[in-house]
Amino acid sequence: MTAPIFSLLAAAFYLGGTLYQIRCLMRRRSASPNLLRAIGVVALLSHAGSLYVQMVTADGLSFGFFHVSSLIAWLVLAVILMFSLRAPVTSLLIVLFPLALITDVLAWLFPGHGAALIPGKSAVLVHVLLSILAYGILTIAAFQAALLAVQNNQLKHRNPVRFNRTFPPLQTMEALLFQFLLCGEVLLTLALISGFIFLDNMFAQNVAHKTLLSCLAWVVFGILLWGRHFRGWRGSYAIRWTLGGFLLLMLAFFGSKMVSEFILPI
C-alpha cells in the first residue's frame, strides 16, 4: 500500500499547485515562487517515494512505459525547481505540475506493464540513465519553445493576454531555451556514445529505428545550436527546430517503447 499513498500524496500537491497558479492567473497576479517551490519539493519527495517502490525490484530496475514517463516528468520538474533559484522559470510549472500529476497516477495505476528489467549493476544502466536525463532536459526545452511561441504570437498580434503576463521577457525566455538545448545536446551525445559502447548492436532490428531517430534529433539540435552561434537564429527558427527535434526524440523513445509494450509485446 506504500506506492498508492506516495502517489496520491504527490498528486494532491501537484493538483494544489496547479489550482493555485490558475487562481493567480485569473486574478491577474503573479504566483509566489517560494510557495510554488515549497509545493513542488513536497510533491517531488512523495513522487520519488512512489517511483522507488514501483521501480526498484529484487530482479533489477523496472523501466516500463509509464514508469519512465513518470521518471522523466519527475526529473523535468526537479531541474526546473533547482533552476528557478537563479532564473525566472516558475511560469513553466503551470504546465509541468499537471504533467507530473498525470504521469504519477498512470505509473501507479498501470505498474510494470511489459516493463524491461535492468540489473542495478549493468553497464546498460549508464546508457539508460543518460538517455532519460537527455530526454528530460530536452523536454524542458520543448515546453520552453511552446510557451515562447505563445508569447511571441500574442506580442506579434499586440494582444498580451493575462497568461502572457506571467512570462519573463522574450529575450530571457529565448536565452533559457538555448541553455536547456545545449545541456540536452551534451547529454544526448553522451547517451548515444554510451549506447554504442555498452550495447551489442545499436542498429539491431528491434532498436534500429530508435537509434536512427535519436541520431536525427541529435543532428537537428546540433544544427540549431550552430545556427544560433554563427547565424544568430532566434524566434520562429528556434521554436520550429526545437519542436521538430523533440518530436523525433519522442518518436524514438516513447514511440518505440509504446509499440514494444502495448502493440507488439514480446
Side-chain angles (χ1 to χ4, degrees):
M1 293 296 293
T2 308
I5 293 173
F6 279 130
S7 292
L8 290 174
L9 185 60
F13 276 94
Y14 286 139
L15 179 60
T18 302
L19 294 177
Y20 167 65
Q21 291 175 94
I22 292 175
R23 182 183 179 187
C24 290
L25 199 61
M26 298 302 293
R27 295 188 175 187
R28 301 189 181 185
R29 62 185 178 87
S30 299
S32 167
N34 289 332
L35 181 55
L36 287 175
R37 278 192 287 266
I39 293 172
V41 167
V42 176
L44 279 178
L45 290 174
S46 303
H47 196 165
S50 176
L51 285 171
Y52 179 83
V53 172
Q54 295 177 69
M55 295 184 68
V56 178
T57 70
D59 299 319
L61 297 178
S62 173
F63 283 94
F65 178 83
F66 292 115
H67 287 159
V68 174
S69 301
S70 184
L71 180 58
I72 290 177
W74 184 93
L75 173 67
V76 167
L77 191 54
V79 170
I80 285 297
L81 288 177
M82 288 188 291
F83 215 78
S84 71
L85 296 173
R86 67 181 186 90
V89 293
T90 51
S91 56
L92 288 171
L93 296 178
I94 198 168
V95 178
L96 297 181
F97 274 162
L99 176 67
L101 188 157
I102 292 169
T103 57
D104 166 57
V105 172
L106 288 176
W108 163 49
L109 293 177
F110 303 99
H113 181 87
L117 290 175
I118 300 177
K121 295 183 179 180
S122 171
V124 177
L125 187 61
V126 174
H127 166 67
V128 172
L129 293 178
L130 282 171
S131 298
I132 289 175
L133 282 170
Y135 295 150
I137 298 299
L138 291 169
T139 297
I140 297 174
F143 279 122
Q144 187 81 358
L147 292 177
L148 187 61
V150 172
Q151 187 178 20
N152 193 43
N153 180 69
Q154 293 298 325
L155 291 175
K156 185 180 296 184
H157 291 84
R158 298 180 180 180
N159 182 30
V161 295
R162 64 181 67 176
F163 187 68
N164 241 12
R165 297 175 186 177
T166 64
F167 292 172
L170 270 173
Q171 293 83 354
T172 303
M173 292 281 285
E174 211 167 68
L176 289 172
L177 170 62
F178 280 97
Q179 288 180 37
F180 288 131
L181 284 172
L182 179 59
C183 183
E185 180 76 341
V186 170
L187 287 169
L188 183 58
T189 302
L190 294 175
L192 289 172
I193 292 173
S194 64
F196 283 108
I197 293 175
F198 297 129
L199 298 181
D200 293 333
N201 184 2
M202 283 280 279
F203 289 99
Q205 184 175 359
N206 60 328
V207 294
H209 56 290
K210 181 178 178 180
T211 301
L212 180 59
L213 288 171
S214 296
C215 289
L216 285 174
W218 179 84
V219 170
V220 168
F221 290 128
I223 292 174
L224 175 55
L225 289 169
W226 176 87
R228 169 70 169 185
H229 185 74
F230 293 102
R231 297 292 183 89
W233 288 358
R234 51 179 301 178
S236 59
Y237 273 106
I239 293 167
R240 292 169 186 169
W241 281 77
T242 299
L243 295 178
F246 178 73
L247 178 61
L248 287 171
L249 205 58
M250 290 303 98
L251 285 174
F253 187 73
F254 287 110
S256 61
K257 201 160 185 62
M258 183 175 288
V259 170
S260 65
E261 292 188 18
F262 295 97
I263 300 176
L264 297 173
I266 297 175

